[in-house]
Amino acid sequence: MRTGNERRDFIKQGLFLAGAAGVLVSGLAPIAARAQVVSKPVRRPDRYEDSFIFERKPYTWPGNKTLAIWIAPNVEVWNYDSPVGVGVSPNSSNIVPDVINYGWREYGLRVGLWRFADVFDAAGVKATVALNSLVCEHYPKAVDEMKKRGWEFMSHGTTNSESLAGLNPEREREVIRSVLKTIEQATGRKPRGWLGSGLVETYNTLDILAEEGVIYCGDWNTDDQPYPMKVKTGKLFSIPYCMEINDIPLFIRKGYTGEQYYRSVIDQFETLLADSKKQPRVMGIPLHPMITGQPLRIKYLQRAIAEMQKNDAVWFATGGEIIDAYQRAHPTG
């Protein structure tokens, strides 16, 4: 059994990050650098046009707002017999059942998510839920409660113990179709958005998503604005998810206090707001109920939302509303 000091040191060093920004799931573990080769071209994704933000034609969000903010709580489930998942305590030996971390994650669904609900209800904002499809099977009442509030649902894979990594195109298509169908049956509406479990994709994911009718994806954190992605058929847009203020890296990897988290969110907000006077911007706020939904942290999220709502240039919206507005401003794509 590790001591409390060892656990704190471990968390501060950031050696156990998994889940939505995790090493085990997202592939962020360091790898050996390859030797450089003269004249060899750099492989790029070829999924979007090169575009510098200062070159783009200005536009505004509905109501002449300039900064769109969307809040994305990740509502997830994990396998009890798997060590994979974001954790509050080290499990370097991959022992299962991992009761400490599994119980901590479950707290998010049992308690933390409903602190979010209270904050969002009081502020009059609607969340865009990144939903593991198996939440619909194991926590149908939670889905019903989120539906009552008019929250938007975007797909977030099956569970956060697994990802799309390594799937062949046929199997990946089956998984994506199943996820979309399960959420549609539970919520009454087919999800229009996608956030990969651990933000993991294959080389085929974007094409499959577009084929299946998904129109926006939060995996690509390459811009402060939405933009069209290159897909074989259909339309698909990237939406800024803003990993820099994701509560997993800030609280779990970096060990931030509530005050430091609040300051980071507001710093992000103030700069994007100033930038939006030249070009409209989008600010995503990624959240996890077992982290920011804890008693010691929730008030800092509440404070941040209240502070941002003071500015008339701000539009709180869902992911789908932002992409719809973007398409209206860019009718040719």
Side-chain angles (χ1 to χ4, degrees):
M1 183 70 180
R2 294 179 183 263
T3 66
N5 287 335
E6 287 177 320
R7 292 187 186 281
R8 285 191 292 271
D9 289 343
F10 179 89
I11 291 170
K12 289 180 180 178
Q13 293 167 7
L15 299 177
F16 192 74
L17 180 61
V23 170
L24 291 175
V25 180
S26 67
L28 296 179
I31 59 175
R34 296 191 177 108
Q36 292 191 354
V37 179
V38 176
S39 299
K40 184 176 180 179
V42 173
R43 180 172 183 177
R44 302 185 63 202
D46 194 31
R47 286 294 188 176
Y48 43 84
E49 297 290 346
D50 289 332
S51 171
F52 301 127
I53 197 163
F54 65 84
E55 299 176 311
R56 303 171 197 166
K57 183 179 178 180
Y59 60 96
T60 59
W61 300 119
N64 289 320
K65 309 292 185 180
T66 60
L67 176 59
I69 298 177
W70 67 302
I71 301 175
N74 289 238
V75 180
E76 302 159 337
V77 289
W78 297 264
N79 292 321
Y80 184 50
D81 58 355
S82 170
V84 177
V86 64
V88 70
S89 181
N91 184 11
S92 56
S93 299
N94 291 333
I95 295 171
V96 292
D98 184 3
V99 174
I100 295 175
N101 289 312
Y102 186 85
W104 173 73
R105 298 172 198 137
E106 285 278 283
Y107 179 93
L109 268 164
R110 294 168 66 90
V111 182
L113 179 59
W114 313 113
R115 286 201 177 96
F116 285 171
D118 289 343
V119 168
F120 302 157
D121 289 350
V125 299
K126 292 182 180 180
T128 304
V129 179
L131 186 68
N132 283 166
S133 64
L134 288 183
V135 172
C136 301
E137 176 181 336
H138 295 284
Y139 297 93
K141 188 173 181 179
V143 175
D144 289 341
E145 287 295 325
M146 290 185 282
K147 283 173 56 181
K148 289 178 185 178
R149 290 170 165 82
W151 294 358
E152 183 173 318
F153 296 94
M154 64 175 172
S155 304
H156 190 39
T158 54
T159 78
N160 257 48
S161 297
E162 299 150 342
S163 74
L164 298 175
L167 296 183
N168 63 46
E170 292 73 23
R171 178 57 182 151
E172 183 175 11
R173 183 173 286 103
E174 289 177 7
V175 170
I176 289 173
R177 283 179 176 172
S178 175
V179 168
L180 295 172
K181 182 178 180 181
T182 298
I183 295 176
E184 180 179 13
Q185 290 175 338
T187 66
R189 185 173 183 180
K190 185 176 181 179
R192 303 173 70 211
W194 180 274
L195 185 75
S197 299
L199 279 68
V200 172
E201 294 185 1
T202 73
Y203 292 114
N204 305 297
T205 303
L206 297 177
D207 293 324
I208 296 171
L209 291 176
E211 288 171 8
E212 296 301 322
V214 174
I215 66 163
Y216 71 90
C217 176
D219 294 344
W220 291 74
N221 289 270
T222 54
D223 213 297
D224 287 340
Q225 291 181 341
Y227 61 83
M229 306 205 77
K230 296 180 181 179
V231 290
K232 292 179 180 178
T233 60
K235 286 186 177 182
L236 187 68
F237 298 87
S238 174
I239 187 171
Y241 182 63
C242 299
M243 280 295 296
E244 286 291 329
I245 55 170
N246 189 321
D247 57 2
I248 290 180
L250 292 185
F251 283 124
I252 303 303
R253 180 161 61 89
K254 298 181 180 180
Y256 273 23
T257 66
E259 287 286 355
Q260 288 173 310
Y261 171 78
Y262 169 78
R263 189 65 259 165
S264 296
V265 172
I266 295 303
D267 285 347
Q268 180 99 344
F269 166 72
E270 290 176 345
T271 298
L272 288 173
L273 183 63
D275 289 345
S276 73
K277 294 178 181 179
K278 297 175 289 186
Q279 281 278 2
R281 307 286 165 137
V282 174
M283 176 173 166
I285 305 179
L287 298 170
H288 296 79
M290 70 284 200
I291 299 175
T292 307
Q294 295 284 348
L296 76 165
R297 300 188 182 113
I298 190 66
K299 68 179 181 181
Y300 298 100
L301 173 64
Q302 188 172 27
R303 278 176 52 192
I305 293 173
E307 181 65 24
M308 292 184 287
Q309 284 187 316
K310 293 178 182 178
N311 197 291
D312 291 338
V314 171
W315 176 43
F316 278 85
T318 65
E321 288 171 339
I322 291 170
I323 295 304
D324 288 344
Y326 177 83
Q327 291 189 86
R328 288 194 296 271
H330 301 80
T332 60

